[in-house]
Amino acid sequence: MRTRTMMSAAVSACVVLMACGCGPEKAKEDAAPKPSQPSASPSAKEPSAAPSPSAATGKPSAATEKPSAVPTGDQPAPRTKERAIQRYEQYLHGLGREDIGTVCEVAGPGAKKAEEQGFGPCTSTYVIVFQMVSPEQKKALRTATVDPRRVVVRSLDRIEMPLEAVRSSATFTESDLGSYTLEYLKDDYYITDGQ
């Protein structure tokens, strides 16, 4: 119960502050890269766990290859359900690995504002959250996937990841992990709400 509460508090603090101070107009202003923020998370460059068609056959298949869902350079990420799922999986895997950089990059676009409001920086808040997730759950999160059939697309700017969409070897409840909303901001998807 405490894990979910702490994770909710961390994400909610960031979300509330981001929502209050970063409407559509502000998001466009903030879209320019900032020197203090990395343009892409390190985990965005990790290869997929599933073998590609060319790996399975040894030859590329034009009919089965899909364009990369990972943004390259200064290009915006695709505004697709698949990209939102990929970002949420990055968050889940980062949570399981205790990868504070990935977790704060995906879940903490409002972390600086939350810090200014006294909630503490994302890096401190999630260190506490990591301690509240059991070793079994962390191991399961490292390879967790999302069932696309259970994802709710409100619009391509707002996509909901219900708890039921998370596929892992451990069981999670709403009080452990919960459901999240990802929004397309600053040319990629970010967690903006946790329930």
Side-chain angles (χ1 to χ4, degrees):
M1 183 72 149
R2 282 199 255 157
T3 302
R4 173 66 188 136
T5 303
M6 186 58 133
M7 287 176 21
S8 260
V11 171
S12 296
C14 294
V15 169
V16 168
L17 292 170
M18 187 174 76
C20 293
C22 187
E25 301 79 23
K26 181 73 174 165
K28 289 177 186 173
E29 293 172 14
D30 289 343
K34 307 282 189 281
S36 63
Q37 294 179 338
S39 62
S41 79
S43 66
K45 296 177 185 175
E46 291 179 7
S48 170
S52 67
S54 60
T57 63
K59 298 182 221 174
S61 169
T64 58
E65 286 187 3
K66 294 180 184 174
S68 172
V70 179
T72 56
D74 293 329
Q75 297 293 322
R79 193 176 296 205
T80 63
K81 175 181 171 181
E82 291 77 17
R83 176 59 181 168
I85 290 170
Q86 182 185 45
R87 288 286 280 177
Y88 188 55
E89 287 177 348
Q90 286 175 351
Y91 168 79
L92 295 172
H93 299 168
L95 192 59
R97 288 188 319 266
E98 296 187 15
D99 178 353
I100 197 76
T102 297
V103 169
C104 287
E105 198 274 325
V106 176
K112 185 148 183 75
K113 291 177 186 176
E115 181 180 356
E116 292 168 0
Q117 296 296 318
F119 288 103
C122 181
T123 51
S124 319
T125 305
Y126 269 98
V127 166
I128 296 167
V129 172
F130 293 153
Q131 295 170 1
M132 301 173 98
V133 178
S134 77
E136 177 186 303
Q137 289 174 323
K138 285 179 192 171
K139 184 177 180 182
L141 286 169
R142 290 179 200 138
T143 58
T145 59
V146 174
D147 181 350
R149 296 170 297 184
R150 296 191 177 253
V151 172
V152 180
V153 179
R154 298 290 179 205
S155 72
L156 288 180
D157 289 327
R158 184 178 175 86
I159 298 178
E160 295 176 8
M161 303 289 173
L163 175 64
E164 298 78 28
V166 176
R167 297 286 176 244
S168 76
S169 60
T171 302
F172 291 94
T173 65
E174 286 293 333
S175 63
D176 293 330
L177 185 61
S179 300
Y180 290 94
T181 299
L182 278 78
E183 291 187 58
Y184 194 86
L185 307 166
K186 301 180 184 182
D187 296 332
D188 210 343
Y189 286 95
Y190 295 89
I191 293 175
T192 59
D193 191 22
Q195 301 169 17

